[in-house]
Amino acid sequence: MKILIHPDAERAADCVAELIAARLRTEPATNLGLATGGTMEAVYARLIAAYRGGQVSFAGATSFNLDEYVGLPPDHPCSYWRYMREHLFDHVDLTDTHLPHGDAADAEVEAARYEAAIVAAGDIGLQLLGLGANGHIGFNEPTSSLSSLTRIKTLTRSTREANARYFERFEDVPRHAITMGIGTIMRADEVVLLAYGAGKVDAVAAMIEGPVSAACPASVLQMHRKVTVVIDEAAAKGLKLRAYYDEVHPDGGEALL
Ligand code: PGA
């Protein structure tokens, strides 16, 4: 794993936006794996600014999002379809976009269709990931099979509580989601994971330095060939090998290509 530790969340988001833009410049036809959540808002804002400034184009790219809530139609204000339109799709030249349909008549059939669509597209080139405070990637909650494919997952109470801020009431947060599996994510050519803030400190330490275990799904990334983890100081506080990471990449440097 390449561990890039930045002084603050702003710099970490700059770094991730630059990694995505650099990939699009060298490989415009990339299949981008995209993520939602509070963490990614700053990344998408930077990509929109870069697009407006003529520094990046998404015109040749295809995107597949990680997940969607079961039961929410694409126009629901809390759906990830809506999040993506508001935070990225409506503002850049990315037109070939894919997310699971949360309101499909049969969510299991929809999950299988989505997995097949990713395979048919040639799998993900660059997969962007956030990190749950419980170590989830996508909605692969702890104890998810490390070789799982796109399927329905039941959300943990802690994940529903973390996401309740987007809904009127906690009871409105869906109990299930369709999510790319861990096996799906692991087939990506390259993974870029972004996490910041003290709330992620335990998950970051378990992901990077803990054993590979379904108890922390993100720890499976230790077995991926090309992973860049971008974090801020606050999220890095639990790392035992911090001095080594600083020696390899001082100030999160080098990634600012
Ligand atoms: P967050 O979510 O960016 O809102 O913290 C991350 C995640 O749950 O993957």
mmCIF file of all heavy atoms in Angstrom, residues 7 14 17 24 32 37 41 47 54 80 87 99 127 141 150 156 161 169 172 179 182 199 202 218 256:
data_model
loop_
_atom_site.group_PDB
_atom_site.id
_atom_site.type_symbol
_atom_site.label_atom_id
_atom_site.label_comp_id
_atom_site.label_asym_id
_atom_site.label_seq_id
_atom_site.Cartn_x
_atom_site.Cartn_y
_atom_site.Cartn_z
ATOM 1 N N PRO A 7 -1.453 17.109 5.734
ATOM 2 C CA PRO A 7 -1.693 17.868 6.961
ATOM 3 C C PRO A 7 -3.177 18.025 7.282
ATOM 4 O O PRO A 7 -3.563 18.066 8.441
ATOM 5 C CB PRO A 7 -1.070 19.245 6.678
ATOM 6 C CG PRO A 7 -0.174 19.057 5.507
ATOM 7 C CD PRO A 7 -0.652 17.868 4.748
ATOM 8 N N ASP A 14 -7.340 17.416 -2.370
ATOM 9 C CA ASP A 14 -6.578 17.900 -3.539
ATOM 10 C C ASP A 14 -5.830 16.735 -4.185
ATOM 11 O O ASP A 14 -5.823 16.574 -5.405
ATOM 12 C CB ASP A 14 -5.509 18.932 -3.122
ATOM 13 C CG ASP A 14 -6.079 20.279 -2.716
ATOM 14 O OD1 ASP A 14 -7.248 20.546 -3.026
ATOM 15 O OD2 ASP A 14 -5.330 21.048 -2.077
ATOM 16 N N ALA A 17 -8.189 14.213 -5.984
ATOM 17 C CA ALA A 17 -8.699 14.778 -7.243
ATOM 18 C C ALA A 17 -7.608 14.752 -8.306
ATOM 19 O O ALA A 17 -7.862 14.442 -9.479
ATOM 20 C CB ALA A 17 -9.201 16.209 -7.015
ATOM 21 N N LEU A 24 -7.211 10.149 -15.863
ATOM 22 C CA LEU A 24 -8.041 10.493 -17.034
ATOM 23 C C LEU A 24 -7.201 11.118 -18.149
ATOM 24 O O LEU A 24 -7.515 10.948 -19.323
ATOM 25 C CB LEU A 24 -9.175 11.440 -16.617
ATOM 26 C CG LEU A 24 -10.292 10.770 -15.816
ATOM 27 C CD1 LEU A 24 -11.216 11.822 -15.223
ATOM 28 C CD2 LEU A 24 -11.088 9.792 -16.686
ATOM 29 N N LEU A 32 -14.242 4.446 -14.360
ATOM 30 C CA LEU A 32 -14.069 4.986 -13.010
ATOM 31 C C LEU A 32 -15.058 4.314 -12.068
ATOM 32 O O LEU A 32 -16.261 4.281 -12.355
ATOM 33 C CB LEU A 32 -14.354 6.485 -13.000
ATOM 34 C CG LEU A 32 -13.335 7.434 -13.616
ATOM 35 C CD1 LEU A 32 -13.900 8.858 -13.593
ATOM 36 C CD2 LEU A 32 -12.009 7.363 -12.847
ATOM 37 N N GLY A 37 -20.880 9.769 -0.186
ATOM 38 C CA GLY A 37 -20.518 10.062 1.204
ATOM 39 C C GLY A 37 -19.948 11.456 1.344
ATOM 40 O O GLY A 37 -19.549 12.086 0.360
ATOM 41 N N GLU A 41 -17.367 14.732 -1.284
ATOM 42 C CA GLU A 41 -17.900 16.001 -1.800
ATOM 43 C C GLU A 41 -16.762 16.949 -2.201
ATOM 44 O O GLU A 41 -16.821 17.594 -3.254
ATOM 45 C CB GLU A 41 -18.821 16.648 -0.768
ATOM 46 C CG GLU A 41 -20.112 15.841 -0.586
ATOM 47 C CD GLU A 41 -21.022 16.405 0.472
ATOM 48 O OE1 GLU A 41 -20.848 17.586 0.862
ATOM 49 O OE2 GLU A 41 -21.928 15.669 0.913
ATOM 50 N N LEU A 47 -12.852 18.288 -8.866
ATOM 51 C CA LEU A 47 -12.887 17.778 -10.247
ATOM 52 C C LEU A 47 -13.755 18.671 -11.137
ATOM 53 O O LEU A 47 -13.436 18.888 -12.310
ATOM 54 C CB LEU A 47 -13.408 16.336 -10.263
ATOM 55 C CG LEU A 47 -12.419 15.284 -9.710
ATOM 56 C CD1 LEU A 47 -13.095 13.927 -9.604
ATOM 57 C CD2 LEU A 47 -11.162 15.190 -10.590
ATOM 58 N N GLY A 54 -10.624 23.465 -17.800
ATOM 59 C CA GLY A 54 -10.054 22.808 -18.976
ATOM 60 C C GLY A 54 -8.908 21.863 -18.650
ATOM 61 O O GLY A 54 -8.169 21.434 -19.534
ATOM 62 N N TYR A 80 -28.372 7.674 -4.096
ATOM 63 C CA TYR A 80 -27.023 7.968 -4.553
ATOM 64 C C TYR A 80 -27.014 8.432 -6.011
ATOM 65 O O TYR A 80 -26.084 9.124 -6.443
ATOM 66 C CB TYR A 80 -26.107 6.771 -4.312
ATOM 67 C CG TYR A 80 -25.743 6.618 -2.843
ATOM 68 C CD1 TYR A 80 -25.308 5.412 -2.327
ATOM 69 C CD2 TYR A 80 -25.833 7.701 -1.973
ATOM 70 C CE1 TYR A 80 -24.971 5.286 -0.981
ATOM 71 C CE2 TYR A 80 -25.500 7.586 -0.631
ATOM 72 C CZ TYR A 80 -25.063 6.372 -0.151
ATOM 73 O OH TYR A 80 -24.723 6.264 1.181
ATOM 74 N N HIS A 87 -23.524 16.300 -7.170
ATOM 75 C CA HIS A 87 -22.123 16.556 -6.825
ATOM 76 C C HIS A 87 -21.155 16.406 -7.986
ATOM 77 O O HIS A 87 -20.017 16.847 -7.897
ATOM 78 C CB HIS A 87 -21.682 15.669 -5.663
ATOM 79 C CG HIS A 87 -22.371 16.021 -4.379
ATOM 80 N ND1 HIS A 87 -22.057 17.142 -3.652
ATOM 81 C CD2 HIS A 87 -23.381 15.420 -3.725
ATOM 82 C CE1 HIS A 87 -22.836 17.216 -2.586
ATOM 83 N NE2 HIS A 87 -23.651 16.181 -2.609
ATOM 84 N N LEU A 99 -25.265 3.354 -11.951
ATOM 85 C CA LEU A 99 -25.436 3.003 -10.538
ATOM 86 C C LEU A 99 -26.467 1.890 -10.495
ATOM 87 O O LEU A 99 -27.301 1.774 -11.407
ATOM 88 C CB LEU A 99 -26.007 4.161 -9.700
ATOM 89 C CG LEU A 99 -25.107 5.336 -9.315
ATOM 90 C CD1 LEU A 99 -25.107 6.383 -10.394
ATOM 91 C CD2 LEU A 99 -25.578 5.948 -7.990
ATOM 92 N N GLN A 127 -10.664 2.661 -9.001
ATOM 93 C CA GLN A 127 -11.769 2.593 -8.046
ATOM 94 C C GLN A 127 -11.512 3.566 -6.898
ATOM 95 O O GLN A 127 -10.509 3.451 -6.190
ATOM 96 C CB GLN A 127 -11.919 1.173 -7.478
ATOM 97 C CG GLN A 127 -13.002 1.034 -6.416
ATOM 98 C CD GLN A 127 -14.395 1.251 -6.980
ATOM 99 O OE1 GLN A 127 -14.794 0.583 -7.929
ATOM 100 N NE2 GLN A 127 -15.146 2.204 -6.411
ATOM 101 N N GLU A 141 -20.233 -4.528 4.799
ATOM 102 C CA GLU A 141 -20.114 -4.371 6.245
ATOM 103 C C GLU A 141 -19.207 -5.464 6.822
ATOM 104 O O GLU A 141 -18.938 -6.469 6.163
ATOM 105 C CB GLU A 141 -21.517 -4.454 6.866
ATOM 106 C CG GLU A 141 -22.492 -3.390 6.361
ATOM 107 C CD GLU A 141 -22.244 -2.004 6.932
ATOM 108 O OE1 GLU A 141 -21.077 -1.627 7.148
ATOM 109 O OE2 GLU A 141 -23.237 -1.272 7.135
ATOM 110 N N THR A 150 -21.303 -8.254 -6.455
ATOM 111 C CA THR A 150 -22.387 -7.300 -6.214
ATOM 112 C C THR A 150 -23.628 -8.052 -5.728
ATOM 113 O O THR A 150 -24.049 -9.041 -6.320
ATOM 114 C CB THR A 150 -22.711 -6.534 -7.509
ATOM 115 O OG1 THR A 150 -21.520 -5.921 -7.988
ATOM 116 C CG2 THR A 150 -23.770 -5.459 -7.247
ATOM 117 N N THR A 156 -25.446 -2.162 8.857
ATOM 118 C CA THR A 156 -25.352 -2.202 10.318
ATOM 119 C C THR A 156 -26.066 -0.982 10.897
ATOM 120 O O THR A 156 -26.236 0.044 10.220
ATOM 121 C CB THR A 156 -23.881 -2.157 10.801
ATOM 122 O OG1 THR A 156 -23.309 -0.922 10.371
ATOM 123 C CG2 THR A 156 -23.085 -3.325 10.239
ATOM 124 N N GLU A 161 -26.917 4.885 11.387
ATOM 125 C CA GLU A 161 -26.827 6.080 12.233
ATOM 126 C C GLU A 161 -25.914 7.124 11.600
ATOM 127 O O GLU A 161 -26.216 8.324 11.612
ATOM 128 C CB GLU A 161 -26.317 5.686 13.634
ATOM 129 C CG GLU A 161 -27.416 5.063 14.476
ATOM 130 C CD GLU A 161 -26.903 4.399 15.755
ATOM 131 O OE1 GLU A 161 -25.665 4.352 15.966
ATOM 132 O OE2 GLU A 161 -27.747 3.915 16.524
ATOM 133 N N ARG A 169 -35.647 11.274 9.302
ATOM 134 C CA ARG A 169 -35.658 10.508 10.553
ATOM 135 C C ARG A 169 -34.777 9.264 10.395
ATOM 136 O O ARG A 169 -34.660 8.727 9.293
ATOM 137 C CB ARG A 169 -37.083 10.036 10.879
ATOM 138 C CG ARG A 169 -38.087 11.160 11.038
ATOM 139 C CD ARG A 169 -39.475 10.570 11.140
ATOM 140 N NE ARG A 169 -39.690 9.589 10.070
ATOM 141 C CZ ARG A 169 -40.583 8.599 10.122
ATOM 142 N NH1 ARG A 169 -41.328 8.436 11.197
ATOM 143 N NH2 ARG A 169 -40.731 7.771 9.109
ATOM 144 N N ASP A 172 -36.100 6.399 8.506
ATOM 145 C CA ASP A 172 -36.184 6.506 7.036
ATOM 146 C C ASP A 172 -34.944 5.932 6.333
ATOM 147 O O ASP A 172 -34.971 5.738 5.116
ATOM 148 C CB ASP A 172 -36.334 7.975 6.612
ATOM 149 C CG ASP A 172 -37.630 8.578 7.123
ATOM 150 O OD1 ASP A 172 -38.574 7.801 7.386
ATOM 151 O OD2 ASP A 172 -37.683 9.812 7.279
ATOM 152 N N THR A 179 -24.644 -3.405 -3.244
ATOM 153 C CA THR A 179 -23.257 -2.914 -3.257
ATOM 154 C C THR A 179 -22.353 -3.811 -4.089
ATOM 155 O O THR A 179 -22.508 -5.031 -4.091
ATOM 156 C CB THR A 179 -22.684 -2.802 -1.814
ATOM 157 O OG1 THR A 179 -21.337 -2.304 -1.870
ATOM 158 C CG2 THR A 179 -22.676 -4.141 -1.073
ATOM 159 N N ILE A 182 -16.699 -7.203 -2.422
ATOM 160 C CA ILE A 182 -15.266 -7.003 -2.189
ATOM 161 C C ILE A 182 -14.468 -7.625 -3.339
ATOM 162 O O ILE A 182 -13.457 -7.069 -3.779
ATOM 163 C CB ILE A 182 -14.862 -7.588 -0.820
ATOM 164 C CG1 ILE A 182 -15.583 -6.795 0.281
ATOM 165 C CG2 ILE A 182 -13.348 -7.531 -0.624
ATOM 166 C CD1 ILE A 182 -15.358 -7.335 1.671
ATOM 167 N N GLY A 199 -12.806 10.423 13.380
ATOM 168 C CA GLY A 199 -13.790 9.337 13.378
ATOM 169 C C GLY A 199 -13.324 8.111 12.612
ATOM 170 O O GLY A 199 -13.893 7.022 12.762
ATOM 171 N N ASP A 202 -9.559 4.522 13.960
ATOM 172 C CA ASP A 202 -9.472 3.078 14.239
ATOM 173 C C ASP A 202 -9.577 2.269 12.951
ATOM 174 O O ASP A 202 -8.847 1.289 12.757
ATOM 175 C CB ASP A 202 -10.586 2.648 15.205
ATOM 176 C CG ASP A 202 -10.393 3.239 16.594
ATOM 177 O OD1 ASP A 202 -9.246 3.617 16.917
ATOM 178 O OD2 ASP A 202 -11.386 3.327 17.340
ATOM 179 N N ALA A 218 -11.982 -3.371 4.779
ATOM 180 C CA ALA A 218 -10.965 -2.604 4.043
ATOM 181 C C ALA A 218 -9.580 -3.226 4.161
ATOM 182 O O ALA A 218 -8.701 -2.956 3.333
ATOM 183 C CB ALA A 218 -10.932 -1.157 4.541
ATOM 184 N N LEU A 256 1.256 14.581 -5.805
ATOM 185 C CA LEU A 256 0.846 15.806 -6.504
ATOM 186 C C LEU A 256 1.627 15.885 -7.808
ATOM 187 O O LEU A 256 2.623 16.573 -7.921
ATOM 188 C CB LEU A 256 1.090 17.025 -5.603
ATOM 189 C CG LEU A 256 0.201 17.035 -4.362
ATOM 190 C CD1 LEU A 256 0.656 18.081 -3.380
ATOM 191 C CD2 LEU A 256 -1.255 17.263 -4.740
#
